[in-house]
């Protein structure tokens, strides 16, 4: 192993400790078992993963220094993300901000400061270092219902 590779592993391990509080989570393998494709679907060893399992695994998905991992208290598995780890398909206003629903039917409550408007997309900063992107319908609904034009 090259010294820079060892340094990167140590840096990622330290970031995992800070984010999860788990100091024993070790990378199981350099092999990528999970992929999240651009439409939000999950693959396990290049085969579609049923949504109920993808939803379960999404609860332990972390982004650390631009890399994605499924992290439990005792192990860590690499995940490849083609574009964004979460595709957000619905939005509702709440008393404290917004509630977004993903393609996996998971909900994320965020305040307005978590939303990043860009020229061609809207990003939402979620927990565990994750960022979600609004799909086309949600993008237009957010613009029409929640952005005021002066």
């Amino acid at each position: 192993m090259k010294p820079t590779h060892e340094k990167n592993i140590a840096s990622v391990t330290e970031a995992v400790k800070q984010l999860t509080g788990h100091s024993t989570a070790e990378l199981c393998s350099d092999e990528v078992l999970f992929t999240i494709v651009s439409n939000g679907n999950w693959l396990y060893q290049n085969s579609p993963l049923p949504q109920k399992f993808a939803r379960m695994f999404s609860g332990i998905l972390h982004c650390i220094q631009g890399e994605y991992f499924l992290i439990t208290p005792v192990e860590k598995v690499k995940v490849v993300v083609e574009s964004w780890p979460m595709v957000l398909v619905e939005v509702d206003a709440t008393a404290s901000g917004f509630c977004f629903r993903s393609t996996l039917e998971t909900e994320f409550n965020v305040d307005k400061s978590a939303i990043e408007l860009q020229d061609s997309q809207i990003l939402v900063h979620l927990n565990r270092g994750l960022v979600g992107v609004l799909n086309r319908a949600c993008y237009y609904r957010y613009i029409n219902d929640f952005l005021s034009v002066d």
Side-chain angles (χ1 to χ4, degrees), residues 57-86:
F57 285 126
S58 74
I60 60 170
L61 181 65
H62 297 256
C63 181
I64 301 167
Q65 298 178 345
E67 293 187 87
Y68 295 91
F69 302 95
L70 298 177
I71 301 175
T72 72
V74 295
E75 64 185 1
K76 177 171 59 172
V77 176
K78 281 186 177 183
V79 177
V80 168
V81 176
E82 286 185 354
S83 55
W84 302 102
M86 295 290 166

Side-chain angles (χ1 to χ4, degrees), residues 84 88 100 108-118 122-134:
W84 302 102
L88 305 172
F100 289 93
F108 299 94
N109 291 299
V110 300
D111 61 27
K112 191 174 183 176
S113 67
I115 299 169
E116 181 182 337
L117 303 175
Q118 296 186 347
I122 298 175
L123 304 178
V124 181
H125 296 271
L126 308 169
N127 51 3
R128 300 183 312 275
L130 303 176
V131 177
V133 65
L134 277 60

Side-chain angles (χ1 to χ4, degrees), residues 8 13 17 39 43 59 69 73-74 87-88 91 98 109 112 115 124 131 141 144 146-147:
N8 288 341
T13 302
K17 289 178 191 178
N39 67 0
L43 304 176
F69 302 95
V74 295
V87 176
L88 305 172
V91 59
F98 297 95
N109 291 299
K112 191 174 183 176
I115 299 169
V124 181
V131 177
R141 175 152 188 252
N144 288 331
F146 304 114
L147 292 182

